[in-house]
Amino acid sequence: IDDNDPFDIVSDMLLLESLFKEFSSLSSENKSICRMLAAQKTERDIAIALGIPQTTLHDRKAKLLKMLKSHLR
């Protein structure tokens, strides 16, 4: 992919706009999960921070990522 190709730049911008739109519609807890994942926190650390079992976080994360992926297609 050419970083200077206008098509790639516009495509990336549209993808980011779509992602931002979906992110803004998330619950505050799901936003927190996304922020901590982006900060490379482990599932264990995120679960502790949210006060939920790690298995619950794992399931929520899977559903969250699946939902975001489906909206970005």
Side-chain angles (χ1 to χ4, degrees):
I1 297 175
D2 180 6
D3 289 339
N4 295 317
D5 181 10
F7 178 79
D8 290 339
I9 293 169
V10 170
S11 179
D12 288 347
M13 287 176 59
L14 291 173
L15 181 64
L16 287 173
E17 284 179 18
S18 180
L19 185 59
F20 180 75
K21 180 181 173 187
E22 291 304 319
F23 183 79
S24 66
S25 71
L26 296 176
S27 68
S28 60
E29 187 169 89
N30 281 342
K31 286 179 186 177
S32 293
I33 291 170
C34 287
R35 286 186 186 108
M36 287 186 261
L37 289 170
Q40 299 182 355
K41 301 288 183 186
T42 65
E43 281 189 3
R44 182 178 183 274
D45 291 337
I46 297 170
I48 290 169
L50 297 176
I52 60 175
Q54 188 173 342
T55 54
T56 300
L57 173 68
H58 182 80
D59 292 342
R60 286 187 187 174
K61 182 182 91 171
K63 288 177 186 175
L64 176 61
L65 293 176
K66 183 178 179 180
M67 184 271 300
L68 289 173
K69 284 181 184 179
S70 72
H71 286 284
L72 296 177
R73 289 182 182 189

